Amino acid sequence: LTLLFFFFPFANNSFAVTTDIEKSLLVDSEMYFIQMKTMNKNQTVYSIGDEGNALYIVSKGYVTLINTKDDDSNSNSNNSSNTFDENLDPNGIEANEMDLKIAPGFIFGDSNFLLGTSRTCSAVVLCNNTVLWKLSKTEYKRMEMERPDIHAVFQKILLRVLAHQLDWASTF
């Protein structure tokens, strides 16, 4: 099962941005994102139970969301040298049937970020040279204070993303 969660500046999808004004505001929003360093296959972005203090956009490469409690309980998601047990993802980039594969241009980590809850799955990089963009809670709040116009468009798009995810989930 491959599930692709859409976000904004990296994919062409008609439901994401509806006006030229929104598009221009989103270009301005990039200053609030931190481009993470390149990650390699099997590195952990975050693990079950970690604080949901950021959301991510895949710029290049693939990430899988693994909904199992059998991940490495000693991992520290802030340490980029963490690896994930390959036995839990036997098919490599294909991910197994119960995992969700996130492709370039798509968002992940948004639900726990918005709800302020701990992570309910692990996020693991599926291929070498994967590049992620990260939006932390701190930067999200700074965006709201400094640029309420950008924040409003960002919230509108997040609402569309969550509605799309809910619609997808209801078809199963």
Side-chain angles (χ1 to χ4, degrees), residues 113-143:
F113 173 81
L114 293 170
L115 292 170
T117 58
S118 297
R119 301 292 183 188
T120 55
C121 65
S122 295
V124 180
V125 175
L126 286 176
C127 56
N128 290 331
N129 301 315
T130 294
V131 178
L132 304 177
W133 288 82
K134 175 182 176 180
L135 176 64
S136 69
K137 284 265 191 193
T138 303
E139 290 301 306
Y140 184 70
K141 290 175 183 175
R142 187 170 74 92
M143 179 195 305

PDB file of all heavy atoms in Angstrom, residues 113-143:
ATOM      1  N   PHE A 113       1.831  16.865  15.044  1.00  0.00           N
ATOM      2  CA  PHE A 113       2.272  18.262  15.125  1.00  0.00           C
ATOM      3  C   PHE A 113       1.108  19.170  15.510  1.00  0.00           C
ATOM      4  O   PHE A 113       1.202  19.962  16.443  1.00  0.00           O
ATOM      5  CB  PHE A 113       2.857  18.673  13.764  1.00  0.00           C
ATOM      6  CG  PHE A 113       3.199  20.126  13.635  1.00  0.00           C
ATOM      7  CD1 PHE A 113       4.388  20.620  14.155  1.00  0.00           C
ATOM      8  CD2 PHE A 113       2.356  21.000  12.960  1.00  0.00           C
ATOM      9  CE1 PHE A 113       4.722  21.961  14.011  1.00  0.00           C
ATOM     10  CE2 PHE A 113       2.679  22.333  12.816  1.00  0.00           C
ATOM     11  CZ  PHE A 113       3.864  22.816  13.344  1.00  0.00           C
ATOM     12  N   LEU A 114      -0.007  19.024  14.808  1.00  0.00           N
ATOM     13  CA  LEU A 114      -1.165  19.880  15.057  1.00  0.00           C
ATOM     14  C   LEU A 114      -1.886  19.538  16.357  1.00  0.00           C
ATOM     15  O   LEU A 114      -2.414  20.428  17.032  1.00  0.00           O
ATOM     16  CB  LEU A 114      -2.136  19.808  13.881  1.00  0.00           C
ATOM     17  CG  LEU A 114      -1.609  20.421  12.584  1.00  0.00           C
ATOM     18  CD1 LEU A 114      -2.531  20.097  11.421  1.00  0.00           C
ATOM     19  CD2 LEU A 114      -1.419  21.924  12.723  1.00  0.00           C
ATOM     20  N   LEU A 115      -1.918  18.259  16.702  1.00  0.00           N
ATOM     21  CA  LEU A 115      -2.598  17.829  17.932  1.00  0.00           C
ATOM     22  C   LEU A 115      -1.739  18.003  19.177  1.00  0.00           C
ATOM     23  O   LEU A 115      -2.249  17.960  20.296  1.00  0.00           O
ATOM     24  CB  LEU A 115      -3.018  16.362  17.817  1.00  0.00           C
ATOM     25  CG  LEU A 115      -4.109  16.060  16.797  1.00  0.00           C
ATOM     26  CD1 LEU A 115      -4.257  14.553  16.615  1.00  0.00           C
ATOM     27  CD2 LEU A 115      -5.415  16.701  17.204  1.00  0.00           C
ATOM     28  N   GLY A 116      -0.437  18.175  18.995  1.00  0.00           N
ATOM     29  CA  GLY A 116       0.461  18.299  20.136  1.00  0.00           C
ATOM     30  C   GLY A 116       0.627  16.989  20.890  1.00  0.00           C
ATOM     31  O   GLY A 116       0.805  16.983  22.107  1.00  0.00           O
ATOM     32  N   THR A 117       0.550  15.878  20.170  1.00  0.00           N
ATOM     33  CA  THR A 117       0.645  14.554  20.786  1.00  0.00           C
ATOM     34  C   THR A 117       1.950  13.866  20.386  1.00  0.00           C
ATOM     35  O   THR A 117       2.633  14.286  19.460  1.00  0.00           O
ATOM     36  CB  THR A 117      -0.543  13.671  20.356  1.00  0.00           C
ATOM     37  OG1 THR A 117      -0.550  13.569  18.919  1.00  0.00           O
ATOM     38  CG2 THR A 117      -1.864  14.263  20.826  1.00  0.00           C
ATOM     39  N   SER A 118       2.250  12.793  21.089  1.00  0.00           N
ATOM     40  CA  SER A 118       3.432  11.993  20.776  1.00  0.00           C
ATOM     41  C   SER A 118       3.231  11.262  19.453  1.00  0.00           C
ATOM     42  O   SER A 118       2.102  10.995  19.038  1.00  0.00           O
ATOM     43  CB  SER A 118       3.675  10.964  21.881  1.00  0.00           C
ATOM     44  OG  SER A 118       3.943  11.608  23.092  1.00  0.00           O
ATOM     45  N   ARG A 119       4.330  10.902  18.828  1.00  0.00           N
ATOM     46  CA  ARG A 119       4.284  10.184  17.557  1.00  0.00           C
ATOM     47  C   ARG A 119       3.643   8.820  17.733  1.00  0.00           C
ATOM     48  O   ARG A 119       3.936   8.101  18.684  1.00  0.00           O
ATOM     49  CB  ARG A 119       5.695  10.008  16.983  1.00  0.00           C
ATOM     50  CG  ARG A 119       6.431  11.307  16.734  1.00  0.00           C
ATOM     51  CD  ARG A 119       5.807  12.096  15.626  1.00  0.00           C
ATOM     52  NE  ARG A 119       6.598  13.306  15.367  1.00  0.00           N
ATOM     53  CZ  ARG A 119       6.234  14.265  14.561  1.00  0.00           C
ATOM     54  NH1 ARG A 119       5.088  14.174  13.901  1.00  0.00           N
ATOM     55  NH2 ARG A 119       6.982  15.313  14.385  1.00  0.00           N
ATOM     56  N   THR A 120       2.776   8.468  16.804  1.00  0.00           N
ATOM     57  CA  THR A 120       2.072   7.184  16.840  1.00  0.00           C
ATOM     58  C   THR A 120       2.649   6.192  15.835  1.00  0.00           C
ATOM     59  O   THR A 120       2.137   5.085  15.693  1.00  0.00           O
ATOM     60  CB  THR A 120       0.573   7.386  16.569  1.00  0.00           C
ATOM     61  OG1 THR A 120       0.431   8.082  15.324  1.00  0.00           O
ATOM     62  CG2 THR A 120      -0.073   8.195  17.691  1.00  0.00           C
ATOM     63  N   CYS A 121       3.677   6.609  15.115  1.00  0.00           N
ATOM     64  CA  CYS A 121       4.375   5.730  14.183  1.00  0.00           C
ATOM     65  C   CYS A 121       5.820   6.204  14.097  1.00  0.00           C
ATOM     66  O   CYS A 121       6.165   7.267  14.618  1.00  0.00           O
ATOM     67  CB  CYS A 121       3.714   5.736  12.807  1.00  0.00           C
ATOM     68  SG  CYS A 121       3.781   7.319  11.968  1.00  0.00           S
ATOM     69  N   SER A 122       6.639   5.421  13.447  1.00  0.00           N
ATOM     70  CA  SER A 122       8.026   5.799  13.191  1.00  0.00           C
ATOM     71  C   SER A 122       8.148   6.238  11.738  1.00  0.00           C
ATOM     72  O   SER A 122       7.442   5.725  10.866  1.00  0.00           O
ATOM     73  CB  SER A 122       8.960   4.612  13.450  1.00  0.00           C
ATOM     74  OG  SER A 122       8.935   4.257  14.805  1.00  0.00           O
ATOM     75  N   ALA A 123       9.035   7.186  11.482  1.00  0.00           N
ATOM     76  CA  ALA A 123       9.321   7.632  10.120  1.00  0.00           C
ATOM     77  C   ALA A 123      10.765   7.263   9.815  1.00  0.00           C
ATOM     78  O   ALA A 123      11.682   7.656  10.547  1.00  0.00           O
ATOM     79  CB  ALA A 123       9.111   9.129   9.991  1.00  0.00           C
ATOM     80  N   VAL A 124      10.944   6.501   8.741  1.00  0.00           N
ATOM     81  CA  VAL A 124      12.255   5.980   8.384  1.00  0.00           C
ATOM     82  C   VAL A 124      12.531   6.270   6.915  1.00  0.00           C
ATOM     83  O   VAL A 124      11.671   6.059   6.056  1.00  0.00           O
ATOM     84  CB  VAL A 124      12.327   4.452   8.656  1.00  0.00           C
ATOM     85  CG1 VAL A 124      13.687   3.891   8.276  1.00  0.00           C
ATOM     86  CG2 VAL A 124      12.012   4.156  10.108  1.00  0.00           C
ATOM     87  N   VAL A 125      13.728   6.719   6.624  1.00  0.00           N
ATOM     88  CA  VAL A 125      14.136   7.042   5.255  1.00  0.00           C
ATOM     89  C   VAL A 125      14.297   5.750   4.457  1.00  0.00           C
ATOM     90  O   VAL A 125      14.876   4.771   4.948  1.00  0.00           O
ATOM     91  CB  VAL A 125      15.449   7.854   5.279  1.00  0.00           C
ATOM     92  CG1 VAL A 125      15.970   8.098   3.875  1.00  0.00           C
ATOM     93  CG2 VAL A 125      15.232   9.172   6.017  1.00  0.00           C
ATOM     94  N   LEU A 126      13.792   5.743   3.229  1.00  0.00           N
ATOM     95  CA  LEU A 126      13.822   4.539   2.387  1.00  0.00           C
ATOM     96  C   LEU A 126      14.962   4.492   1.379  1.00  0.00           C
ATOM     97  O   LEU A 126      15.231   3.437   0.811  1.00  0.00           O
ATOM     98  CB  LEU A 126      12.503   4.408   1.626  1.00  0.00           C
ATOM     99  CG  LEU A 126      11.304   3.956   2.435  1.00  0.00           C
ATOM    100  CD1 LEU A 126      10.053   3.965   1.582  1.00  0.00           C
ATOM    101  CD2 LEU A 126      11.542   2.578   3.015  1.00  0.00           C
ATOM    102  N   CYS A 127      15.597   5.623   1.102  1.00  0.00           N
ATOM    103  CA  CYS A 127      16.675   5.594   0.119  1.00  0.00           C
ATOM    104  C   CYS A 127      17.730   6.637   0.452  1.00  0.00           C
ATOM    105  O   CYS A 127      17.464   7.602   1.170  1.00  0.00           O
ATOM    106  CB  CYS A 127      16.136   5.795  -1.296  1.00  0.00           C
ATOM    107  SG  CYS A 127      15.187   7.283  -1.545  1.00  0.00           S
ATOM    108  N   ASN A 128      18.912   6.435  -0.068  1.00  0.00           N
ATOM    109  CA  ASN A 128      20.005   7.366   0.163  1.00  0.00           C
ATOM    110  C   ASN A 128      19.715   8.726  -0.457  1.00  0.00           C
ATOM    111  O   ASN A 128      18.942   8.838  -1.406  1.00  0.00           O
ATOM    112  CB  ASN A 128      21.305   6.797  -0.400  1.00  0.00           C
ATOM    113  CG  ASN A 128      21.793   5.607   0.402  1.00  0.00           C
ATOM    114  OD1 ASN A 128      21.544   5.502   1.603  1.00  0.00           O
ATOM    115  ND2 ASN A 128      22.502   4.703  -0.262  1.00  0.00           N
ATOM    116  N   ASN A 129      20.338   9.747   0.095  1.00  0.00           N
ATOM    117  CA  ASN A 129      20.247  11.125  -0.395  1.00  0.00           C
ATOM    118  C   ASN A 129      18.835  11.708  -0.320  1.00  0.00           C
ATOM    119  O   ASN A 129      18.444  12.499  -1.169  1.00  0.00           O
ATOM    120  CB  ASN A 129      20.792  11.222  -1.823  1.00  0.00           C
ATOM    121  CG  ASN A 129      22.229  10.770  -1.899  1.00  0.00           C
ATOM    122  OD1 ASN A 129      23.050  11.144  -1.060  1.00  0.00           O
ATOM    123  ND2 ASN A 129      22.543   9.922  -2.863  1.00  0.00           N
ATOM    124  N   THR A 130      18.086  11.307   0.687  1.00  0.00           N
ATOM    125  CA  THR A 130      16.747  11.868   0.907  1.00  0.00           C
ATOM    126  C   THR A 130      16.894  13.220   1.591  1.00  0.00           C
ATOM    127  O   THR A 130      17.658  13.363   2.545  1.00  0.00           O
ATOM    128  CB  THR A 130      15.898  10.909   1.761  1.00  0.00           C
ATOM    129  OG1 THR A 130      15.667   9.721   0.996  1.00  0.00           O
ATOM    130  CG2 THR A 130      14.574  11.529   2.167  1.00  0.00           C
ATOM    131  N   VAL A 131      16.155  14.221   1.093  1.00  0.00           N
ATOM    132  CA  VAL A 131      16.202  15.563   1.666  1.00  0.00           C
ATOM    133  C   VAL A 131      14.817  15.914   2.203  1.00  0.00           C
ATOM    134  O   VAL A 131      13.818  15.777   1.489  1.00  0.00           O
ATOM    135  CB  VAL A 131      16.642  16.617   0.621  1.00  0.00           C
ATOM    136  CG1 VAL A 131      16.636  18.018   1.217  1.00  0.00           C
ATOM    137  CG2 VAL A 131      18.025  16.270   0.074  1.00  0.00           C
ATOM    138  N   LEU A 132      14.771  16.356   3.453  1.00  0.00           N
ATOM    139  CA  LEU A 132      13.517  16.735   4.099  1.00  0.00           C
ATOM    140  C   LEU A 132      13.544  18.200   4.497  1.00  0.00           C
ATOM    141  O   LEU A 132      14.585  18.728   4.877  1.00  0.00           O
ATOM    142  CB  LEU A 132      13.302  15.900   5.370  1.00  0.00           C
ATOM    143  CG  LEU A 132      13.307  14.393   5.220  1.00  0.00           C
ATOM    144  CD1 LEU A 132      13.161  13.741   6.584  1.00  0.00           C
ATOM    145  CD2 LEU A 132      12.199  13.943   4.291  1.00  0.00           C
ATOM    146  N   TRP A 133      12.379  18.827   4.420  1.00  0.00           N
ATOM    147  CA  TRP A 133      12.181  20.161   4.976  1.00  0.00           C
ATOM    148  C   TRP A 133      11.399  19.977   6.258  1.00  0.00           C
ATOM    149  O   TRP A 133      10.475  19.170   6.325  1.00  0.00           O
ATOM    150  CB  TRP A 133      11.398  21.040   4.009  1.00  0.00           C
ATOM    151  CG  TRP A 133      12.199  21.448   2.820  1.00  0.00           C
ATOM    152  CD1 TRP A 133      12.429  20.725   1.689  1.00  0.00           C
ATOM    153  CD2 TRP A 133      12.891  22.677   2.652  1.00  0.00           C
ATOM    154  NE1 TRP A 133      13.210  21.429   0.824  1.00  0.00           N
ATOM    155  CE2 TRP A 133      13.513  22.646   1.385  1.00  0.00           C
ATOM    156  CE3 TRP A 133      13.044  23.817   3.447  1.00  0.00           C
ATOM    157  CZ2 TRP A 133      14.271  23.693   0.898  1.00  0.00           C
ATOM    158  CZ3 TRP A 133      13.799  24.868   2.952  1.00  0.00           C
ATOM    159  CH2 TRP A 133      14.402  24.799   1.689  1.00  0.00           C
ATOM    160  N   LYS A 134      11.762  20.740   7.278  1.00  0.00           N
ATOM    161  CA  LYS A 134      11.158  20.603   8.601  1.00  0.00           C
ATOM    162  C   LYS A 134      10.574  21.941   9.044  1.00  0.00           C
ATOM    163  O   LYS A 134      11.200  22.981   8.895  1.00  0.00           O
ATOM    164  CB  LYS A 134      12.245  20.170   9.597  1.00  0.00           C
ATOM    165  CG  LYS A 134      11.815  20.101  11.029  1.00  0.00           C
ATOM    166  CD  LYS A 134      13.012  19.709  11.899  1.00  0.00           C
ATOM    167  CE  LYS A 134      12.668  19.708  13.361  1.00  0.00           C
ATOM    168  NZ  LYS A 134      13.836  19.327  14.180  1.00  0.00           N
ATOM    169  N   LEU A 135       9.355  21.894   9.592  1.00  0.00           N
ATOM    170  CA  LEU A 135       8.748  23.072  10.210  1.00  0.00           C
ATOM    171  C   LEU A 135       8.525  22.738  11.679  1.00  0.00           C
ATOM    172  O   LEU A 135       7.735  21.853  12.009  1.00  0.00           O
ATOM    173  CB  LEU A 135       7.415  23.438   9.551  1.00  0.00           C
ATOM    174  CG  LEU A 135       6.664  24.613  10.195  1.00  0.00           C
ATOM    175  CD1 LEU A 135       7.455  25.914  10.068  1.00  0.00           C
ATOM    176  CD2 LEU A 135       5.288  24.767   9.582  1.00  0.00           C
ATOM    177  N   SER A 136       9.221  23.432  12.559  1.00  0.00           N
ATOM    178  CA  SER A 136       9.090  23.195  13.992  1.00  0.00           C
ATOM    179  C   SER A 136       7.922  24.006  14.555  1.00  0.00           C
ATOM    180  O   SER A 136       7.459  24.968  13.936  1.00  0.00           O
ATOM    181  CB  SER A 136      10.374  23.594  14.716  1.00  0.00           C
ATOM    182  OG  SER A 136      10.537  25.005  14.677  1.00  0.00           O
ATOM    183  N   LYS A 137       7.478  23.622  15.739  1.00  0.00           N
ATOM    184  CA  LYS A 137       6.414  24.375  16.426  1.00  0.00           C
ATOM    185  C   LYS A 137       6.848  25.816  16.650  1.00  0.00           C
ATOM    186  O   LYS A 137       6.055  26.744  16.500  1.00  0.00           O
ATOM    187  CB  LYS A 137       6.088  23.730  17.781  1.00  0.00           C
ATOM    188  CG  LYS A 137       5.281  22.494  17.694  1.00  0.00           C
ATOM    189  CD  LYS A 137       3.837  22.815  17.861  1.00  0.00           C
ATOM    190  CE  LYS A 137       3.081  21.506  18.029  1.00  0.00           C
ATOM    191  NZ  LYS A 137       1.677  21.659  17.903  1.00  0.00           N
ATOM    192  N   THR A 138       8.113  26.007  17.016  1.00  0.00           N
ATOM    193  CA  THR A 138       8.631  27.359  17.262  1.00  0.00           C
ATOM    194  C   THR A 138       8.512  28.225  16.015  1.00  0.00           C
ATOM    195  O   THR A 138       8.049  29.364  16.079  1.00  0.00           O
ATOM    196  CB  THR A 138      10.101  27.281  17.719  1.00  0.00           C
ATOM    197  OG1 THR A 138      10.174  26.469  18.886  1.00  0.00           O
ATOM    198  CG2 THR A 138      10.662  28.653  18.006  1.00  0.00           C
ATOM    199  N   GLU A 139       8.920  27.680  14.876  1.00  0.00           N
ATOM    200  CA  GLU A 139       8.850  28.438  13.623  1.00  0.00           C
ATOM    201  C   GLU A 139       7.400  28.640  13.177  1.00  0.00           C
ATOM    202  O   GLU A 139       7.058  29.675  12.607  1.00  0.00           O
ATOM    203  CB  GLU A 139       9.665  27.751  12.529  1.00  0.00           C
ATOM    204  CG  GLU A 139      11.155  27.829  12.777  1.00  0.00           C
ATOM    205  CD  GLU A 139      11.657  29.269  12.871  1.00  0.00           C
ATOM    206  OE1 GLU A 139      11.415  30.059  11.943  1.00  0.00           O
ATOM    207  OE2 GLU A 139      12.290  29.602  13.894  1.00  0.00           O
ATOM    208  N   TYR A 140       6.559  27.676  13.437  1.00  0.00           N
ATOM    209  CA  TYR A 140       5.127  27.794  13.114  1.00  0.00           C
ATOM    210  C   TYR A 140       4.508  28.947  13.908  1.00  0.00           C
ATOM    211  O   TYR A 140       3.762  29.765  13.363  1.00  0.00           O
ATOM    212  CB  TYR A 140       4.439  26.467  13.434  1.00  0.00           C
ATOM    213  CG  TYR A 140       2.981  26.398  13.069  1.00  0.00           C
ATOM    214  CD1 TYR A 140       2.568  26.364  11.745  1.00  0.00           C
ATOM    215  CD2 TYR A 140       2.005  26.333  14.055  1.00  0.00           C
ATOM    216  CE1 TYR A 140       1.230  26.274  11.405  1.00  0.00           C
ATOM    217  CE2 TYR A 140       0.666  26.241  13.737  1.00  0.00           C
ATOM    218  CZ  TYR A 140       0.284  26.215  12.409  1.00  0.00           C
ATOM    219  OH  TYR A 140      -1.048  26.125  12.079  1.00  0.00           O
ATOM    220  N   LYS A 141       4.849  29.042  15.191  1.00  0.00           N
ATOM    221  CA  LYS A 141       4.341  30.142  16.022  1.00  0.00           C
ATOM    222  C   LYS A 141       4.935  31.472  15.595  1.00  0.00           C
ATOM    223  O   LYS A 141       4.244  32.501  15.598  1.00  0.00           O
ATOM    224  CB  LYS A 141       4.633  29.864  17.500  1.00  0.00           C
ATOM    225  CG  LYS A 141       3.800  28.730  18.053  1.00  0.00           C
ATOM    226  CD  LYS A 141       4.183  28.384  19.487  1.00  0.00           C
ATOM    227  CE  LYS A 141       3.369  27.188  19.950  1.00  0.00           C
ATOM    228  NZ  LYS A 141       3.777  26.735  21.286  1.00  0.00           N
ATOM    229  N   ARG A 142       6.208  31.463  15.200  1.00  0.00           N
ATOM    230  CA  ARG A 142       6.843  32.692  14.705  1.00  0.00           C
ATOM    231  C   ARG A 142       6.152  33.159  13.422  1.00  0.00           C
ATOM    232  O   ARG A 142       5.903  34.350  13.234  1.00  0.00           O
ATOM    233  CB  ARG A 142       8.337  32.452  14.465  1.00  0.00           C
ATOM    234  CG  ARG A 142       9.095  33.727  14.104  1.00  0.00           C
ATOM    235  CD  ARG A 142      10.604  33.501  14.124  1.00  0.00           C
ATOM    236  NE  ARG A 142      11.088  32.732  13.009  1.00  0.00           N
ATOM    237  CZ  ARG A 142      11.530  33.265  11.862  1.00  0.00           C
ATOM    238  NH1 ARG A 142      11.544  34.574  11.680  1.00  0.00           N
ATOM    239  NH2 ARG A 142      11.974  32.488  10.899  1.00  0.00           N
ATOM    240  N   MET A 143       5.817  32.202  12.555  1.00  0.00           N
ATOM    241  CA  MET A 143       5.091  32.535  11.328  1.00  0.00           C
ATOM    242  C   MET A 143       3.760  33.210  11.664  1.00  0.00           C
ATOM    243  O   MET A 143       3.390  34.216  11.052  1.00  0.00           O
ATOM    244  CB  MET A 143       4.837  31.267  10.498  1.00  0.00           C
ATOM    245  CG  MET A 143       4.073  31.494   9.211  1.00  0.00           C
ATOM    246  SD  MET A 143       3.403  29.980   8.456  1.00  0.00           S
ATOM    247  CE  MET A 143       4.823  28.932   8.283  1.00  0.00           C
TER     248      MET A 143
END
